[in-house]
Amino acid sequence: MVIVQVLLCLLFLVLTGYLVIKKYNPSTILLSMGILMLAIAHLTGISKPLEGVGTGSAFMDLFKIVENKFGSSFVKFGLLIMTISGYVAVMNKIKATEAMVYI
């Protein structure tokens, strides 16, 4: 079973590298490959990413796992981006950049 896991990992690494070299959108590639690897690991029983998720359907469990994994991190990054954008807007409004360049 370990050999199958290593071969699957190498296959996904090669496929991801090939798609990045072909100039596809890297964030879409990494997200889709991650979800696909998670799906294969979950459906084949290689690993159980989150225990206690069980919705009764292996297919629906994948959506629940993705929701649990990405839900909290997207909120954190969203708040961080909004905070930084607000800071930049305030600095532009008070013309802090121009004052620093003048000094």
Side-chain angles (χ1 to χ4, degrees):
M1 191 63 160
V2 174
I3 293 173
V4 173
Q5 294 171 356
V6 170
L7 290 175
L8 279 173
C9 182
L10 289 174
L11 175 71
F12 277 100
L13 284 173
V14 169
L15 184 60
T16 302
Y18 174 77
L19 292 173
V20 168
I21 289 171
K22 287 293 187 181
K23 304 285 187 201
Y24 287 96
N25 187 0
S27 57
T28 305
I29 294 169
L30 293 173
L31 179 66
S32 61
M33 288 297 168
I35 291 174
L36 190 59
M37 287 178 71
L38 180 67
I40 290 172
H42 182 69
L43 294 175
T44 58
I46 291 174
S47 68
K48 299 293 182 194
L50 291 175
E51 295 299 327
V53 171
T55 59
S57 167
F59 183 71
M60 294 305 293
D61 285 349
L62 291 173
F63 289 108
K64 190 69 175 167
I65 291 168
V66 169
E67 176 188 354
N68 287 344
K69 288 286 187 185
F70 293 122
S72 63
S73 61
F74 280 150
V75 170
K76 291 176 189 173
F77 289 126
L79 288 174
L80 180 66
I81 289 171
M82 286 192 305
T83 303
I84 292 170
S85 299
Y87 176 77
V88 169
V90 168
M91 291 298 116
N92 285 337
K93 181 74 174 172
I94 64 173
K95 301 191 186 317
T97 307
E98 293 174 13
M100 189 173 77
V101 169
Y102 179 74
I103 290 175

